[in-house]
């Protein structure tokens, strides 16, 4: 169950807090709805519960706050708003990426796709999904780890009536299996149909916490809606006839020419208007909402003298046998039935004003074939102990799931090859810089810029995914994920560096011959410098984007190293000093006191020379500062 105590958001300047001392309970096996109009504080309440927004109060999920749960995604499934993700990522690839983050086998992605009816769209891109399909994908992300508690913010927003019935069926099945469901809603009738308990918010405060039956009896009442240019006169006549006949009738003036008559019928209101010659533009039966603010401007309210009209009640719900897109929950006492494959839905007959108007054009409905959906899949076992390869699998699926990295690599190779050819034509370029396509006028070669951009892209909106927002062990700041990003960024940068050198050498050989494609004599130290430059730029992009939560900031940090940091380091190294580090490689070789296999001491000496250069020192300094800043923000968030 969910227990929320004293949830209060921080005040905004001179405005009162959006949520003020909200406390309620959501029991297991039931669907609880947070009801309120726009701006009532429903979304803020959910964010305070999930510790995504600073404020006061505490929320317990089965007796434990969220930050004390070892595997939050196993306990709480969250859907807040749309499903963010790269538009070019496929539905199946997106779910598999989340499976790797949650420690779930990839088979789970196919299971939830069958549950939400997206099997036929598994290869579609996220950017091409409609609103209804996006909500289904969001529900699939929520169910991925088989959580006990579902927290959904306006899950039915933008869905058709058919999809809303299907969604409520899925949530009802989860509650019947013993889970807890908490959702927000704007429509009182929808909340009464789908929930077992309704918590009403108004201006950030709880104004009612009722069972669905009590809510329907007090908030939802049958009424007759009347529109007439003589609404004031008709209201007075209805009230007078009700007093004469000793009937309990309440007439509410809702502004303009609209009246709501509680306790009467369309026939009685129509006969009264006909007898007194009052023109009526609309006369219909509705289910009214007597919520906060209703009844303002009432023409006259009569005290009940007899028993009022029977209220709308909710019977206990039976366990659903199966769920289909057209499973209706309008009859709460009847479980939705599973139609046979290939069954057709009969066309709806016209009723109401459409059936009474013979001149109005009629719309014919064609039979539709239902897509049969299975029931919820069996529970799964999430890995109890975090695997060291779990963040690495997640990062590999994230990086390889879209074509951005491949496009950036292709652009780097083409730009580098063309730059190398132009530098060879102009001349006066050292061989090492020629193979790296690094002109003296540019602060960084194309390969280093591309590696920095790929590193900066490692942190994006996908790491604040709502389905994983409650999982502190996965997103967005955890050292395991950071190490995985650094490893993948280093591997990508190394591959890009070697492929770039190979492409440049091959292009120079094709255009100018073997002379310009020869390997330099100091190839060892040059290779170490080249790898250090490319990997350092990639790591700087990763860390800067992680600290500032922006891809642009990550790329700006990469460019700031040669432009701002290198001159400072160069000045510091060239300044007056009493002692120098001359003979450092020889003393390092003597310190090792052994001959490394395959000439390993040469690599150590080459690495030392790279660090002694201004560019290498600037990169090491920048990466160290960014890493310390990342660790500081991580520790600060944990302390909070």
């Amino acid at each position: 169950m969910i227990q929320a105590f004293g949830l209060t958001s921080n005040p905004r300047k001179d405005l009162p807090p959006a949520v003020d001392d909200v406390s309620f309970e959501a029991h297991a096996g039931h669907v609880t709805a947070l009801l309120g109009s726009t701006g009532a504080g429903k979304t803020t309440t959910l964010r305070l519960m999930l510790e995504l927004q600073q404020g006061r109060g505490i929320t317990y999920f089965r007796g434990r706050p969220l930050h004390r749960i070892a595997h939050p995604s196993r306990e709480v499934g969250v859907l807040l708003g749309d499903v963010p993700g790269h538009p070019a990522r496929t539905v199946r690839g997106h779910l598999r990426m989340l499976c790797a983050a949650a420690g779930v086998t990839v088979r789970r992605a196919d299971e939830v796709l069958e549950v939400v009816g997206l099997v036929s769209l598994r290869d579609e891109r996220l950017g091409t999904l409609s609103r209804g399909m996006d909500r289904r994908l969001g529900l699939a992300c929520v169910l991925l780890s088989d959580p006990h508690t579902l927290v959904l913010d306006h899950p039915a927003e933008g869905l058709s009536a058919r999809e809303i019935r299907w969604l409520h069926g899925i949530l009802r099945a989860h509650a019947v299996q013993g889970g807890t469901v908490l959702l927000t809603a704007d429509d009182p009738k929808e909340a009464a149909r789908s929930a077992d308990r309704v918590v009403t918010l108004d201006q950030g405060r709880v104004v009612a916490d009722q069972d669905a039956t009590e809510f329907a009896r007090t908030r939802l009442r049958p009424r007759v809606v009347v529109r007439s240019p003589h609404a004031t006169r008709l209201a007075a006549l209805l009230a007078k006839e009700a007093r004469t006949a000793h009937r309990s009738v309440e007439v509410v003036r809702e502004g303009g020419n609209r009246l709501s008559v509680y306790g009467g019928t369309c026939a009685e209101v129509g006969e009264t208007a006909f007898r007194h010659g009052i023109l009526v533009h609309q006369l219909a039966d509705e289910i009214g909402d007597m919520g906060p603010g209703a009844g303002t401007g009432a023409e006259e309210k009569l005290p009940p003298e007899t028993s009022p009209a029977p209220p709308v009640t909710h019977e206990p719900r039976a366990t659903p046998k199966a769920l289909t897109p057209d499973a209706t929950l309008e009859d709460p006492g009847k479980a939705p039935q599973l139609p046979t494959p290939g069954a057709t839905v009969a066309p709806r007959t016209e009723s109401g004003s459409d059936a009474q108007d013979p001149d109005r054009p009629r719309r014919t409905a064609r039979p539709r074939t239902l897509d049969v959906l299975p029931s919820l899949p069996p529970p799964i076992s999430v890995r109890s102990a975090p695997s060291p390869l779990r963040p690495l699998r997640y990062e590999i699926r994230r990086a390889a799931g879209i074509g951005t990295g491949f496009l950036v690599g292709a652009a780097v190779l083409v730009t580098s090859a063309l730059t190398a050819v132009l530098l060879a034509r102009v001349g006066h370029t050292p061989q090492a810089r020629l193979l790296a396509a690094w002109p003296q006028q540019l602060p960084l070669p194309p390969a280093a810029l591309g590696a920095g951009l790929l590193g900066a892209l490692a942190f994006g909106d996908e790491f604040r995914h709502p389905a994983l927002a409650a999982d502190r062990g996965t997103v967005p700041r955890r050292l395991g994920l950071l190490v995985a990003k650094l490893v993948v960024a280093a591997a990508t940068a190394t591959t890009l560096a070697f492929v770039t050198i190979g492409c440049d050498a091959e292009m120079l050989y094709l255009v100018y011959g073997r002379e310009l494609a020869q390997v330099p004599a100091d190839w060892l130290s040059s290779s170490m410098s080249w790898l250090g430059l490319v990997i350092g730029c990639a790591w700087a992009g990763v860390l800067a984007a992680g600290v500032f939560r922006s891809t642009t900031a990550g790329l700006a940090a990469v460019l700031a190293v040669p432009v701002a940091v290198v001159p400072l380091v160069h000045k510091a190294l060239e300044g007056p000093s009493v002692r120098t580090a001359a003979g450092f490689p020889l003393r390092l070789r003597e310190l090792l006191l052994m001959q490394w296999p395959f000439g390993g001491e040469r690599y150590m000496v080459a690495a030392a020379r790279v660090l002694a250069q201004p560019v290498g020192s600037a990169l090491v300094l920048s990466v160290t500062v960014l890493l310390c800043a990342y660790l500081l923000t991580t520790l600060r968030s944990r302390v909070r």
Side-chain angles (χ1 to χ4, degrees):
M1 63 178 299
I2 302 176
Q3 296 172 302
F5 300 102
L7 298 178
T8 305
S9 62
N10 293 333
R12 302 157 295 175
K13 296 183 179 179
D14 298 333
L15 301 176
V19 173
D20 189 6
D21 195 20
V22 171
S23 302
F24 64 92
E25 292 184 356
H27 295 274
H30 295 80
V31 179
T32 304
L34 278 179
L35 177 65
S37 58
T38 303
K42 305 183 296 297
T43 302
T44 305
T45 300
L46 297 186
R47 295 184 62 84
L48 289 172
M49 292 172 56
L50 299 171
E51 301 176 4
L52 300 177
Q53 182 171 331
Q54 295 184 3
R56 298 191 302 273
I58 191 169
T59 303
Y60 291 103
F61 298 89
R62 291 203 289 182
R64 293 173 297 172
L66 193 63
H67 60 272
R68 295 294 184 184
I69 300 176
H71 302 281
S73 62
R74 169 76 168 173
E75 180 66 32
V76 184
V78 182
L79 177 60
L80 302 177
D82 296 335
V83 180
H86 200 284
R89 197 181 300 278
T90 63
V91 171
R92 190 180 185 185
H94 187 75
L95 289 177
R96 287 195 167 194
M97 180 187 71
L98 300 183
C99 285
V104 181
T105 59
V106 293
R107 294 192 305 271
R108 181 66 176 179
D110 297 327
E111 291 177 355
V112 295
L113 283 177
E114 292 181 2
V115 172
V116 301
L118 290 179
V119 176
S120 60
L121 300 179
R122 59 187 175 184
D123 295 327
E124 293 293 327
R125 307 291 179 179
L126 297 186
T128 62
L129 295 181
S130 63
R131 175 66 176 177
M133 296 302 102
D134 182 82
R135 305 307 288 174
R136 292 194 181 212
L137 177 59
L139 186 60
C141 297
V142 170
L143 298 175
L144 204 58
S145 299
D146 190 29
H148 175 270
T149 303
L150 302 184
V151 179
L152 314 172
D153 187 22
H154 295 95
E157 184 179 3
L159 301 183
S160 63
R162 173 176 176 264
E163 292 172 327
I164 290 176
R165 291 194 298 270
W166 169 84
L167 175 64
H168 290 166
I170 288 283
L171 300 181
R172 174 60 51 192
H174 183 83
V176 167
Q177 293 178 2
T180 304
V181 179
L182 176 65
L183 56 90
T184 61
D186 295 330
D187 187 6
K189 289 178 282 187
E190 176 189 346
R193 283 194 299 264
S194 61
D196 301 305
R197 191 163 191 86
V198 181
V199 180
T200 306
L201 298 180
D202 186 25
Q203 297 182 358
R205 291 179 176 271
V206 177
V207 296
D209 188 350
Q210 304 166 292
D211 186 80
T213 303
E214 180 69 15
F215 172 79
R217 187 181 66 83
T218 57
R219 287 278 308 262
L220 300 180
R221 299 167 55 190
R223 67 180 178 184
V224 177
V225 176
V226 187
R227 290 187 182 273
S228 172
H230 308 288
T232 304
R233 180 185 171 199
L234 179 59
L237 291 173
L238 292 174
K240 180 179 179 181
E241 290 187 358
R243 285 194 298 266
T244 303
H246 300 285
R247 291 185 292 106
S248 177
V249 175
E250 181 180 352
V251 182
V252 178
R253 181 74 177 274
E254 297 185 352
N257 58 355
R258 179 185 171 95
L259 294 177
S260 293
V261 182
Y262 297 90
T265 64
C266 284
E268 294 171 351
V269 176
E271 290 176 359
T272 301
F274 178 75
R275 285 196 304 268
H276 295 84
I278 297 178
L279 178 64
V280 174
H281 291 164
Q282 182 187 13
L283 187 62
D285 286 317
E286 286 187 359
I287 298 296
D289 172 24
M290 295 300 292
T296 57
E299 181 69 17
E300 184 174 358
K301 295 184 179 181
L302 302 179
E305 300 178 8
T306 60
S307 55
V312 179
T313 59
H314 281 232
E315 299 294 336
R317 294 174 171 86
T319 303
K321 298 179 181 179
L323 303 172
T324 67
D326 283 291
T328 176
L329 295 180
E330 293 179 356
D331 185 0
K334 182 180 180 181
Q337 301 295 326
L338 179 65
T340 58
T344 58
V345 180
R348 296 182 179 180
T349 58
E350 296 185 5
S351 59
S353 58
D354 292 346
Q356 296 174 1
D357 189 359
D359 298 331
R360 187 168 183 171
R362 300 173 181 268
R363 293 176 296 178
T364 58
R366 293 178 296 178
R368 293 178 291 111
T369 302
L370 294 181
D371 299 326
V372 180
L373 296 181
S375 58
L376 289 177
I380 60 173
S381 297
V382 181
R383 294 182 178 91
S384 58
S387 170
L389 298 179
R390 170 179 162 187
L392 187 60
R393 286 195 298 266
Y394 174 69
E395 180 62 19
I396 291 175
R397 290 186 180 277
R398 183 208 64 81
I402 56 177
T404 303
F406 301 101
L407 293 177
V408 171
V412 167
L413 294 180
V414 172
T415 304
S416 182
L418 294 178
T419 304
V421 171
L422 292 177
L423 288 178
R425 181 180 180 84
V426 173
H428 309 291
T429 302
Q431 183 68 14
R433 279 185 169 265
L434 185 61
L435 291 177
W438 189 358
Q440 296 284 351
Q441 295 79 11
L442 294 181
L444 288 175
L449 286 175
L453 177 59
L454 292 178
L457 290 174
F459 279 94
D461 292 336
E462 289 176 328
F463 299 93
R464 292 187 293 271
H465 196 281
L468 297 176
D471 193 346
R472 305 301 185 188
T474 304
V475 289
R477 300 178 186 273
R478 181 55 69 94
L479 296 183
L481 183 63
L482 175 64
V483 172
K485 289 183 180 298
L486 294 179
V487 170
V488 173
T492 305
T494 302
T495 304
L496 186 62
F498 279 110
V499 174
T500 301
I501 293 294
C503 288
D504 293 348
E506 186 67 21
M507 183 62 67
L508 291 174
Y509 172 76
L510 291 176
V511 177
Y512 300 107
R514 188 178 299 275
E515 180 182 358
L516 295 181
Q518 294 179 355
V519 179
D522 58 341
W523 65 271
L524 181 57
S525 59
S526 299
S527 299
M528 297 293 292
S529 301
W530 177 241
L531 287 179
L533 175 65
V534 178
I535 295 177
C537 289
W539 283 0
V542 170
L543 293 172
V547 171
F548 301 106
R549 313 305 294 167
S550 171
T551 302
T552 305
L555 189 58
V558 174
L559 292 174
V561 172
V563 174
V565 183
V566 170
L568 295 178
V569 174
H570 189 71
K571 271 189 179 179
L573 294 178
E574 287 186 347
S577 60
V578 177
R579 300 184 185 277
T580 62
F584 174 72
L586 180 61
R587 291 190 295 273
L588 180 64
R589 185 180 296 109
E590 294 176 354
L591 180 63
L592 295 178
L593 298 178
M594 60 178 297
Q595 293 294 326
W596 288 58
F598 307 106
E601 68 277 1
R602 293 187 302 163
Y603 297 97
M604 297 291 296
V605 173
R609 289 176 179 174
V610 170
L611 294 179
Q613 295 177 1
V615 177
S617 302
L619 271 176
V620 172
L621 178 63
S622 302
V623 171
T624 303
V625 170
L626 290 173
L627 180 60
C628 293
Y630 188 94
L631 295 177
L632 178 63
T633 55
T634 302
L635 295 176
R636 185 180 62 179
S637 63
R638 289 187 181 181
V639 170
R640 287 182 178 178

